[in-house]
């Protein structure tokens, strides 16, 4: 098992980023993009290796993002692992109870592993990344609007 990002190959880092993006994406948006990509065609032939099923994961936090980690609470997730007829295996986890979104995330991952990464990037991953970046920018702008700057004026005493 890899302990840090420096030990990971570019392929592993790319897959981790892809799985993270799919896991954080709104299920409705993921399913909409998948349906558009299929355009009425059948989903690729696949077998479910695990799930789809629903469970819980422990969410951990850090005080001030640098303090000691602590258990914040549990979060419901859906997960699925699929194998395409070509043998490529994909994993999918999504927030909430949407097992269909977990299956789609696993299929997207498997298709990327099979060599269809460019098609998945254009049709599904890039739009999800753009939406995520837009949401982050909106949140950052909203937080910046409430920022208060404190400063001290030098007084003539003791100078």
């Amino acid at each position: 098992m890899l302990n840090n990002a420096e030990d990971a190959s570019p392929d592993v880092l790319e897959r981790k980023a892809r799985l993270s993006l799919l896991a954080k994406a709104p299920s409705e948006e993921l399913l909409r993009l998948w349906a558009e990509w299929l355009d009425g065609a059948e989903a690729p032939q696949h077998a479910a290796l695990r799930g789809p099923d629903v469970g819980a994961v422990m969410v951990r936090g850090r005080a001030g993002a640098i303090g000691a980690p602590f258990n914040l609470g549990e979060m419901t997730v859906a997960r699925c692992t699929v194998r395409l007829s070509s043998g490529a295996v994909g994993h999918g986890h999504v927030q909430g109870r949407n097992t269909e979104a977990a299956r789609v995330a696993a299929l997207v991952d498997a298709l990327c592993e099979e060599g269809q990464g460019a098609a998945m990037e254009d049709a599904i991953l890039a739009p999800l990344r753009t939406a995520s970046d837009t949401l982050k920018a909106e949140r950052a702008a909203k937080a910046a609007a409430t920022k208060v700057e404190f400063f001290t004026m030098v007084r003539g005493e003791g100078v």
Side-chain angles (χ1 to χ4, degrees), residues 127-149:
L128 290 177
R129 192 175 299 108
T130 300
S132 174
D133 292 345
T134 301
L135 182 61
K136 284 179 188 176
E138 288 172 358
R139 286 181 181 166
K142 188 175 181 180
T146 63
K147 183 177 179 181
V148 177
E149 302 228 8

Side-chain angles (χ1 to χ4, degrees), residues 143-157:
T146 63
K147 183 177 179 181
V148 177
E149 302 228 8
F150 295 94
F151 62 94
T152 303
M153 301 279 298
V154 175
R155 296 172 65 159
E157 304 155 358

Side-chain angles (χ1 to χ4, degrees), residues 9-20:
S9 71
D11 290 340
V12 170
L13 294 175
E14 182 181 325
R15 189 172 196 192
K16 285 175 72 171
R18 176 174 64 240
L19 292 172
S20 176

Side-chain angles (χ1 to χ4, degrees), residues 2-74:
L2 301 172
N3 291 330
N4 57 41
E6 294 85 35
D7 295 338
S9 71
D11 290 340
V12 170
L13 294 175
E14 182 181 325
R15 189 172 196 192
K16 285 175 72 171
R18 176 174 64 240
L19 292 172
S20 176
L21 177 65
L22 290 167
K24 295 173 185 174
S27 295
E28 304 79 27
E29 183 68 6
L30 175 60
L31 293 173
R32 184 187 68 76
L33 291 168
W34 176 254
E36 284 179 9
W37 182 75
L38 285 178
D39 195 27
E42 291 287 322
Q45 290 292 325
H46 63 281
L49 299 179
R50 177 186 304 143
D53 52 17
V54 176
V57 295
M58 180 60 66
V59 177
R60 296 183 52 101
R62 290 180 181 269
I66 57 172
F70 62 92
N71 292 338
L72 186 62
E74 291 183 342

Side-chain angles (χ1 to χ4, degrees), residues 47-54 79-82 99 103:
L49 299 179
R50 177 186 304 143
D53 52 17
V54 176
R79 71 175 182 178
C80 185
T81 300
V82 298
T99 55
R103 187 182 68 81

